[in-house]
Amino acid sequence: MSLPNSVEGGKADLKTEANPMITVLSGFLMQSGGVQGLMNKFTQAGLGNVFSSWVGSGPRQPVTGDQIQQILGSEQIKGLAAKLGVDPAQASQLVAEHLPKIINHLTPAGKIDLSINVQQRLAGLAPSFLQKLTGQPSQKPVAIEA
């Protein structure tokens, strides 16, 4: 699934649309105990092998929006949906589409590094994340809100 039409139609607004997703995911990662904590949540839901594929160097296994909602919780998804101005199902799909890429970015050596600064790495991801979403270079970095 790609971004909703309302977002695709207004690329100038995309910075404000993508930043909440990165911010919410960053906050969720921090609340979950970082990448390792999120992996534990996926493992508890029976999807540890899917998460591990995002960390490794092989092909990334997909995850569904329903699985994301189950793992992240409906309140997290509702919060993200409200910030993006989409319904929760669309927000779950966006997370399902982009979380594997984000986790892969946070684990460049193919393993979970407990010493990495997740917020700093995600801040570095914001411009490239926007570029991938729009197909155009980001004009300036997007700050990650604490």
Side-chain angles (χ1 to χ4, degrees):
M1 175 179 209
S2 65
L3 287 172
N5 292 338
S6 61
V7 176
E8 288 175 347
K11 293 185 191 250
D13 295 335
L14 192 54
K15 289 179 186 177
T16 60
E17 301 294 339
N19 191 29
M21 180 183 294
I22 293 172
T23 301
V24 168
L25 290 176
S26 174
F28 183 77
L29 276 168
M30 299 310 290
Q31 292 171 5
S32 298
V35 177
Q36 182 66 51
L38 189 58
M39 181 172 186
N40 291 341
K41 287 183 179 285
F42 271 77
T43 300
Q44 289 170 358
L47 297 171
N49 60 330
V50 172
F51 192 94
S52 293
S53 76
W54 305 344
V55 174
S57 58
R60 286 176 249 165
Q61 293 182 26
V63 65
T64 68
D66 288 342
Q67 290 168 324
I68 289 295
Q69 183 142 2
Q70 174 192 356
I71 293 163
L72 298 185
S74 60
E75 290 307 310
Q76 289 282 347
I77 296 300
K78 286 178 187 175
L80 177 59
K83 289 180 181 181
L84 293 175
V86 299
D87 67 58
Q90 287 175 307
S92 295
Q93 272 309 122
L94 288 170
V95 173
E97 182 178 347
H98 296 292
L99 185 60
K101 298 171 195 169
I102 291 170
I103 295 301
N104 186 260
H105 177 79
L106 292 172
T107 56
K111 62 181 181 173
I112 296 173
D113 182 354
L114 299 177
S115 68
I116 68 164
N117 182 325
V118 170
Q119 288 182 316
Q120 185 177 34
R121 295 231 11 135
L122 285 175
L125 174 63
S128 63
F129 184 72
L130 290 170
Q131 182 177 357
K132 287 176 184 174
L133 290 178
T134 64
Q136 297 177 1
S138 174
Q139 314 219 327
K140 61 182 180 179
V142 176
I144 301 296
E145 299 168 8

